[in-house]
């Protein structure tokens, strides 16, 4: 089956809605231009098809890699890091490991690595300086290995009002089990002010990042901010107070 629209920003809107303007160069504007695959099948990192093929509306044309690393929180971090990388914001690319160690890309480019010893990461100069795509991909694999929903949920800021939702915000439940999905687009209805949004996820095992269907609404794949206490997604239930955002500045 093919997907209607070649990018996230081209996914059709329900009648009466319009997309909220995003500032040029913003994370929200960047998310909208992510291309979608023509085939909406979700594949695992090893090339096999995911068992559940009913959750997704569309599949992002973003590599999943060939290791079981890019799971739910990793996909969120991947998209945010890719945005920063695309805009040469190398000094801002940094994520904390579950043990609290800051893993920053600027140090990685200088040759620092984050080896684990007795369950704790350390920062050590172990390699030659590097730049470019291969350097960045190696850094991301380390981040995916040592960060997850627990660490990411602690890094993000809580959004107190779900009606303030914006592209790049994250519904997240830290822990084991935990899960995270990222808001990739937001629209509104001028007549009522109601906001609707699209969310995307990876999952376990590592798999293609995909835009989720809405199993509870004819607005699918769009979700309304008018949901009650729980947000029902195809493979997880989030609570309203689990909406967070990346810290600014």
């Amino acid at each position: 089956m093919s997907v209607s629209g070649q990018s996230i920003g081209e996914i059709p809107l329900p009648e009466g809605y319009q997309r909220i303007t995003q500032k040029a160069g913003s994370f929200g504007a960047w998310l909208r231009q992510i291309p979608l695959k023509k085939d909406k099948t979700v594949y695992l990192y090893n090339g096999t098809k995911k068992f559940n093929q009913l959750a997704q509306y569309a599949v992002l044309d973003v590599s999943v890699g060939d290791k079981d690393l890019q799971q739910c929180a990793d996909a969120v971090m991947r998209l945010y890091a890719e945005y920063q990388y695309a805009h040469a914001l190398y000094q801002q690319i940094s994520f904390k490991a579950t043990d609290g160690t800051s893993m920053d890309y600027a140090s990685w480019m200088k040759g620092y690595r984050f080896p684990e010893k007795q369950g704790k990461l350390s920062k050590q100069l172990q390699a030659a300086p590097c730049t470019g795509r291969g350097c960045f991909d190696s850094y991301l694999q380390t981040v995916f290995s040592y960060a997850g929903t627990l660490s990411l949920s602690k890094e993000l800021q809580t959004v107190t009002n779900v009606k303030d939702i914006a592209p790049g915000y994250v519904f997240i439940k830290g822990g084991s089990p935990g899960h995270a999905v990222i808001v990739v687009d937001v629209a509104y209805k001028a007549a009522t002010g109601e906001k609707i949004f699209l969310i995307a996820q990876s999952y376990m095992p590592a798999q293609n990042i995909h835009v989720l269907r809405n199993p509870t609404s004819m607005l699918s794949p769009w979700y309304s901010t008018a949901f009650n206490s729980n947000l029902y997604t195809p493979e997880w239930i989030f609570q309203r107070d689990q909406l967070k955002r990346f810290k600014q500045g």
Side-chain angles (χ1 to χ4, degrees), residues 22 24 41 245:
Q22 297 298 305
T41 305
R245 59 175 293 183

Side-chain angles (χ1 to χ4, degrees), residues 72-77 147-159 168-175 177-183 199-200 231 233 236-246:
C72 58
D74 309 299
V76 173
M77 293 184 286
T149 56
L150 187 60
S151 58
L152 183 59
S153 65
K154 293 178 180 178
E155 281 200 76
L156 301 178
Q157 293 179 326
T158 298
V159 178
Y169 285 19
V170 181
F171 284 97
I172 185 167
K173 167 67 169 65
H179 193 40
V181 299
I182 184 168
V183 178
I199 49 178
L231 178 69
T233 75
W236 195 268
I237 301 173
F238 293 97
Q239 298 176 357
R240 290 181 71 89
D241 62 1
Q242 291 174 340
L243 180 63
K244 298 192 175 187
R245 59 175 293 183
F246 285 97

Side-chain angles (χ1 to χ4, degrees), residues 42-50 53:
V42 172
Y43 290 92
L44 306 182
Y45 68 96
N46 58 10
T48 61
K49 292 182 180 181
K50 179 181 178 179
Q53 293 289 333

Side-chain angles (χ1 to χ4, degrees), residues 94-163:
S94 182
F95 301 96
K96 288 187 178 180
T98 301
D99 69 7
T101 301
S102 292
M103 300 178 289
D104 64 295
Y105 184 53
S107 293
W108 186 274
M109 289 192 296
K110 294 176 182 177
Y112 286 92
R113 298 296 181 261
F114 306 97
E116 180 182 9
K117 185 176 182 180
Q118 296 180 341
K120 176 71 175 179
L121 300 187
S122 61
K123 181 178 175 180
Q124 298 180 17
L125 186 61
Q126 294 183 328
C130 64
T131 58
R133 189 71 218 188
C135 180
F136 183 57
D137 287 342
S138 296
Y139 164 76
L140 288 179
Q141 286 197 17
T142 296
V143 170
F144 299 162
S145 297
Y146 295 108
T149 56
L150 187 60
S151 58
L152 183 59
S153 65
K154 293 178 180 178
E155 281 200 76
L156 301 178
Q157 293 179 326
T158 298
V159 178
T160 56
N161 189 345
V162 73
K163 292 182 180 180

Side-chain angles (χ1 to χ4, degrees), residues 1-248:
M1 294 179 63
S2 61
V3 175
S4 179
Q6 298 179 336
S7 66
I8 287 176
E10 294 175 287
I11 292 176
L13 286 160
E15 186 176 355
Y17 291 86
Q18 61 190 69
R19 283 178 161 84
I20 294 177
T21 301
Q22 297 298 305
K23 183 180 179 181
S26 67
F27 189 25
W30 182 86
L31 286 167
R32 279 185 179 156
Q33 57 81 43
I34 296 176
L36 303 174
K37 292 188 175 185
K38 293 182 179 179
D39 184 350
K40 72 165 193 172
T41 305
V42 172
Y43 290 92
L44 306 182
Y45 68 96
N46 58 10
T48 61
K49 292 182 180 181
K50 179 181 178 179
F51 179 75
N52 179 15
Q53 293 289 333
L54 300 177
Q56 73 273 13
Y57 173 82
V59 178
L60 279 59
D61 194 1
V62 175
S63 173
V64 67
D66 59 3
K67 299 179 181 178
D68 190 12
L69 292 176
Q70 191 172 286
Q71 299 179 1
C72 58
D74 309 299
V76 173
M77 293 184 286
R78 169 71 183 272
L79 293 179
Y80 193 50
E82 288 282 2
Y83 157 70
Q84 294 171 314
Y85 184 83
H87 289 79
L89 302 173
Y90 307 134
Q91 300 294 326
Q92 298 180 27
I93 302 174
S94 182
F95 301 96
K96 288 187 178 180
T98 301
D99 69 7
T101 301
S102 292
M103 300 178 289
D104 64 295
Y105 184 53
S107 293
W108 186 274
M109 289 192 296
K110 294 176 182 177
Y112 286 92
R113 298 296 181 261
F114 306 97
E116 180 182 9
K117 185 176 182 180
Q118 296 180 341
K120 176 71 175 179
L121 300 187
S122 61
K123 181 178 175 180
Q124 298 180 17
L125 186 61
Q126 294 183 328
C130 64
T131 58
R133 189 71 218 188
C135 180
F136 183 57
D137 287 342
S138 296
Y139 164 76
L140 288 179
Q141 286 197 17
T142 296
V143 170
F144 299 162
S145 297
Y146 295 108
T149 56
L150 187 60
S151 58
L152 183 59
S153 65
K154 293 178 180 178
E155 281 200 76
L156 301 178
Q157 293 179 326
T158 298
V159 178
T160 56
N161 189 345
V162 73
K163 292 182 180 180
D164 294 331
I165 199 166
Y169 285 19
V170 181
F171 284 97
I172 185 167
K173 167 67 169 65
S176 182
H179 193 40
V181 299
I182 184 168
V183 178
V184 293
D185 206 352
V186 178
Y188 76 104
K189 179 180 285 188
T192 63
E194 178 196 9
K195 286 185 178 180
I196 57 175
F197 57 95
L198 296 173
I199 49 178
Q201 71 167 24
S202 179
Y203 209 29
M204 298 183 294
Q207 57 197 251
N208 294 131
I209 305 172
H210 47 280
V211 176
L212 290 170
R213 294 184 180 277
N214 183 344
T216 66
S217 173
M218 293 183 66
L219 290 173
S220 184
W222 296 87
Y223 289 73
S224 172
T225 56
F227 67 91
N228 294 321
S229 58
N230 293 328
L231 178 69
Y232 292 88
T233 75
E235 296 178 309
W236 195 268
I237 301 173
F238 293 97
Q239 298 176 357
R240 290 181 71 89
D241 62 1
Q242 291 174 340
L243 180 63
K244 298 192 175 187
R245 59 175 293 183
F246 285 97
K247 296 177 181 177
Q248 305 297 309

